[in-house]
Amino acid sequence: MNYALSLRQEVMRTIEESMDQLSNKYLRPIEESWQPADFLPDSQNESFFEEVKDLQELARGMSYDLLTVLIGDTITEEALPNYEAWLMSIDGIDRTSETGWGKWIRSWTAEENRHGDLLNRYLYLSGRVDMRQLEISTQYLISDGFDTQAGTDPYNSFVFTSFQELATNISHRRVASEVKKLGDERLGRICGVIAADETRHANAYKTFVSLILEMDPSGLILAFEEMMKKKIVMPAHKLRGTDEAIGNLFKEFSFAAQRTSVYTTQDYIEILQSLLSEWDIGHLNELTDEAEKARDYLMALPNRLERISSRMKIPQGQYSFKWITR
Ligand SMILES: [Fe+2]
Ligand SMILES: [Fe+2]
């Protein structure tokens, strides 16, 4: 085994020793967790149809782009089997373990699973979505797979998850505030509670990276550089619909996210900036020469991305999604 790999495994084992405390801090006990049923009309109630009618009336207020983003976010959440499978494959994580990392990934998955359930059920009730088309896209996205470009490396992977949990937080939080402006308190709460979970999860993964930094700063910085050079892909980058090529819908989905300001290239840059400052990358020293270069590259990256993003144009023309019927 090479040195870098054995050091990584040692680092993973060390973090695993504190996994009970970390789980207590960043995950919620199941009995105290919200469940999708808490936010949706209860079909056992006589008032069910009345409540669904109100829900549908409010759902009509969403613009085409905003609804597109909500559907894309839902499908992204629904492709959870891919994320769990990938996380379980990370070096240093034992899928069969009842404790430690294995337990962390299962418990994280169990929390995330509520997101897709809740959004899917909401969209079903909304009366605006061709559920069959949404389901086809979901089945494709899971079947097409998901390449984080992190491989099975734990450092790369936790840089990726830190970034992604922050991105999903932004997206759900912005949808929440947009629909609240439209007077849709229920959908606002739905997206709000999901966003809050994403923040907790982001804090967990950022903490894992901080712990890695204490033990192997040079290794982590090189991983961070590698991930940023490859660019952090969105989990839905292979999104497509019926009779379409892999990834065909992703561009249109992200244009809608940009037009509604739910998730923009500026957010990507700001997430990077927040990670650089949270992990205090600029002040890390006692690095290898290679890691020092990587640190300088990372610290200069936000400005470089700003220059590129200022030249990018977002198409205004609307794409016609099969998911949306009205
Ligand atoms: Fe989620
Ligand atoms: Fe998440």
Side-chain angles (χ1 to χ4, degrees), residues 12-55:
M12 286 295 278
R13 265 197 297 273
T14 307
I15 298 174
E16 192 164 39
E17 283 165 17
S18 321
M19 199 44 86
D20 284 348
Q21 286 146 271
L22 290 164
S23 296
N24 283 340
K25 187 163 178 195
Y26 295 112
L27 298 173
R28 291 275 167 272
I30 294 173
E31 293 303 328
E32 291 169 26
S33 273
W34 60 262
Q35 297 299 339
D38 302 337
F39 300 94
L40 294 165
D42 182 347
S43 62
Q44 300 171 104
N45 286 348
E46 263 183 42
S47 60
F48 176 69
F49 292 105
E50 206 49 46
E51 281 183 67
V52 172
K53 241 175 82 184
D54 292 346
L55 183 154

Side-chain angles (χ1 to χ4, degrees), residues 78-121:
E78 292 274 54
L80 182 62
N82 286 355
Y83 317 142
E84 184 185 25
W86 161 63
L87 288 164
M88 283 298 193
S89 76
I90 293 173
D91 300 329
I93 294 186
D94 176 6
R95 185 175 57 83
T96 61
S97 169
E98 281 179 24
T99 58
W101 282 113
K103 173 76 179 157
W104 165 271
I105 305 294
R106 282 193 301 279
S107 305
W108 171 87
T109 305
E111 286 198 354
E112 286 284 341
N113 189 54
R114 289 135 65 241
H115 302 173
D117 276 3
L118 175 53
L119 292 172
N120 182 301
R121 213 173 304 158

Side-chain angles (χ1 to χ4, degrees), residues 89-238:
S89 76
I90 293 173
D91 300 329
I93 294 186
D94 176 6
R95 185 175 57 83
T96 61
S97 169
E98 281 179 24
T99 58
W101 282 113
K103 173 76 179 157
W104 165 271
I105 305 294
R106 282 193 301 279
S107 305
W108 171 87
T109 305
E111 286 198 354
E112 286 284 341
N113 189 54
R114 289 135 65 241
H115 302 173
D117 276 3
L118 175 53
L119 292 172
N120 182 301
R121 213 173 304 158
Y122 167 81
L123 289 175
Y124 166 67
L125 292 175
S126 76
R128 290 192 64 185
V129 179
D130 182 333
M131 290 306 288
R132 190 162 204 285
Q133 294 299 329
L134 179 153
E135 287 154 359
I136 289 170
S137 289
T138 302
Q139 189 170 353
Y140 266 127
L141 190 59
I142 296 173
S143 165
D144 288 336
F146 162 59
D147 182 10
T148 58
Q149 307 195 73
T152 58
D153 181 279
Y155 298 2
N156 289 12
S157 300
F158 294 145
V159 166
F160 181 88
T161 50
S162 298
F163 202 105
Q164 265 314 323
E165 297 281 13
L166 289 172
T168 46
N169 164 265
I170 290 173
S171 184
H172 291 303
R173 182 157 44 88
R174 297 255 172 82
V175 175
S177 78
E178 286 306 308
V179 298
K180 276 185 192 161
K181 279 186 222 155
L182 301 167
D184 196 337
E185 284 299 323
R186 183 199 300 269
L187 184 54
R189 273 199 310 276
I190 288 174
C191 296
V193 288
I194 295 173
D197 276 9
E198 308 293 10
T199 296
R200 249 187 319 107
H201 295 166
N203 289 338
Y205 288 114
K206 285 191 287 184
T207 302
F208 298 159
V209 170
S210 297
L211 293 170
I212 295 170
L213 273 169
E214 286 170 17
M215 293 179 264
D216 185 8
S218 292
L220 192 279
I221 288 208
L222 291 172
F224 195 1
E225 180 196 38
E226 183 188 333
M227 291 307 289
M228 294 316 300
K229 280 190 169 165
K230 288 175 172 170
K231 296 194 189 78
I232 304 289
V233 294
M234 292 294 133
H237 68 282
K238 291 188 176 172

